[in-house]
């Protein structure tokens, strides 16, 4: 995701410095014109710093490692993390005269490659306006949904909805398979009607091919759904469907398939019905 997004910034003419903990993953960007620096040096050199990592603790560690960032630096975090952590990071940086916008994305790796990501943004109004201009080269739609942490809350809404659509796809197609129906026909018919969804359009073909290459992995989806469950408990919100999908994906992860795409939930549904 991050590599594709950075590539769009380069194409738009941005002066870009990059870092990846696995150095060779930054080589293509360097060949395309980006400079490379370790995090401390990058922090000193850049006025805006964009992060795209995995978990809450990863973001916190990156922010800590970039303590050399000067006052006024704008951090834009595209990771999906816990809303409370985003709020804390915002507050801690504000005390140092630095700025933070939580800006998790949706649209998947294909959306990143096409520069067509939807981005949920939380933070101060002025910071949002500046951040939106910076990220425009890879954005289809970016909106401020509230103050610090609100972007993460909106992303969790997205993950809850996506989990429900994933379950509907895999449950319905495993039923169709058991019923002896023609899966390509069913995907085409159902996907073109009222029950159609992004999941049908983007995962139907992968299910037909039994292609479980990511995409978005089971491991990452379970991380996000864990954040959904924890935040829902804090808010007093009911998320029974999310808990169910998380528990079903856990069956795949327990078999060593955490690196499969989430559409592999289809396999779990077939086995449950056996």
């Amino acid at each position: 995701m991050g590599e594709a997004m950075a590539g769009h910034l380069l194409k738009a003419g941005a002066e870009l410095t990059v870092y990846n903990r696995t150095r060779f993953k930054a080589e293509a960007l360097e060949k395309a014109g980006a400079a490379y620096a370790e995090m401390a040096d990058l922090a000193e050199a850049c006025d805006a710093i964009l992060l795209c990592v995995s978990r809450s603790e990863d973001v916190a560690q990156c922010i800590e490692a970039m303590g050399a960032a000067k006052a006024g630096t704008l951090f834009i975090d595209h990771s999906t993390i816990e809303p409370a952590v985003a709020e804390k990071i915002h507050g801690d940086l504000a005390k140092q005269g630095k700025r933070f916008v939580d800006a998790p994305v949706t649209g998947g790796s294909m959306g990143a490659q096409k520069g067509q990501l939807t981005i949920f943004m939380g933070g101060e109004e002025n910071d949002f306006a500046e951040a939106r201009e910076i990220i425009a080269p890879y954005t289809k739609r970016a909106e401020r949904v509230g103050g610090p942490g609100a972007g993460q809350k909106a992303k969790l809404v997205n993950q809850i909805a996506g989990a429900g659509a994933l379950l509907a796809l895999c449950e319905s197609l495993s039923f169709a398979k058991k019923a002896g129906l023609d899966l390509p026909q069913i995907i085409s018919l159902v996907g073109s009607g009222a029950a159609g969804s992004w999941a049908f359009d983007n995962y139907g073909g992968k299910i037909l091919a039994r292609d479980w290459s990511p995409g978005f992995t089971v491991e990452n989806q379970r991380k996000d759904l864990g954040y959904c469950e924890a935040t829902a408990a804090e808010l007093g919100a009911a998320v029974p469907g999310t808990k169910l999908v998380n528990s079903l994906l856990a069956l795949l992860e327990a078999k060593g398939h955490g690196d499969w795409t989430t559409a592999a939930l289809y396999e779990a549904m077939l086995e449950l019905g056996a």
Side-chain angles (χ1 to χ4, degrees):
M1 295 284 287
E3 180 181 359
M5 294 151 71
H8 288 294
L9 292 175
L10 277 176
K11 291 174 185 176
E15 184 179 344
L16 192 67
T17 301
V18 297
Y19 166 81
N20 193 299
R21 64 183 177 182
T22 308
R23 173 67 189 267
F24 79 87
K25 292 184 178 181
E27 289 178 354
L29 290 170
E30 289 183 79
K31 290 177 181 177
Y36 184 89
E38 295 301 317
M39 280 198 283
D41 296 328
L42 181 152
E44 287 188 289
C46 298
D47 296 320
I49 300 173
L50 290 74
L51 297 89
C52 189
V53 292
S54 183
R55 309 182 70 89
S56 297
E57 52 268 34
D58 298 327
V59 176
Q61 289 171 6
C62 287
I63 296 290
E64 182 178 358
M66 292 187 284
K70 53 188 174 291
T73 297
L74 175 61
F75 288 87
I76 304 169
D77 179 30
H78 289 311
S79 318
T80 299
I81 65 174
E82 297 157 281
V85 172
E87 293 172 15
K88 183 179 187 306
I89 290 173
H90 176 278
D92 291 345
L93 287 174
K95 293 174 185 176
Q96 303 169 31
K98 303 168 189 177
R99 302 173 293 154
F100 182 84
V101 171
D102 49 293
V105 306
T106 187
S109 56
M110 190 61 67
Q113 291 165 20
K114 293 180 178 179
Q116 291 289 297
L117 293 170
T118 295
I119 304 180
F120 313 98
M121 304 181 74
E124 308 299 337
E125 185 72 53
N126 290 341
D127 298 338
F128 156 72
E130 183 178 339
R132 183 170 61 176
E133 184 174 345
I134 292 169
I135 66 178
Y138 50 82
T139 299
K140 176 174 71 174
R141 184 173 181 181
E143 294 188 10
R144 179 177 180 265
V145 294
Q152 295 298 341
K153 291 174 183 175
K155 175 62 185 290
L156 296 186
V157 172
N158 182 84
Q159 300 307 79
I160 291 168
L166 176 69
L167 177 61
L169 170 73
C170 295
E171 185 173 344
S172 63
L173 293 188
S174 64
F175 178 94
K177 176 74 172 177
K178 299 280 185 176
L181 298 171
D182 182 82
L183 283 188
Q185 182 184 37
I186 290 298
I187 289 171
S188 177
L189 282 170
V190 176
S192 66
S197 66
W198 186 96
F200 263 89
D201 293 342
N202 290 274
Y203 287 154
K206 291 182 79 68
I207 287 175
L208 287 177
R210 306 294 268 269
D211 171 15
W212 308 134
S213 60
F216 192 59
T217 66
V218 168
E219 180 181 20
N220 276 326
Q221 180 74 305
R222 292 209 63 231
K223 179 265 295 185
D224 288 358
L225 297 185
Y227 292 160
C228 290
E229 289 189 37
T231 304
E234 294 171 4
L235 297 173
V239 287
T242 300
K243 292 179 179 179
L244 174 59
V245 174
N246 201 6
S247 67
L248 292 171
L249 291 173
L251 300 176
L252 289 172
E253 195 170 40
K255 292 187 174 183
H257 302 318
D259 59 346
W260 282 5
T261 179
T262 56
L265 177 61
Y266 173 77
E267 296 281 9
M269 298 304 298
L270 288 177
E271 289 184 16
L272 285 172

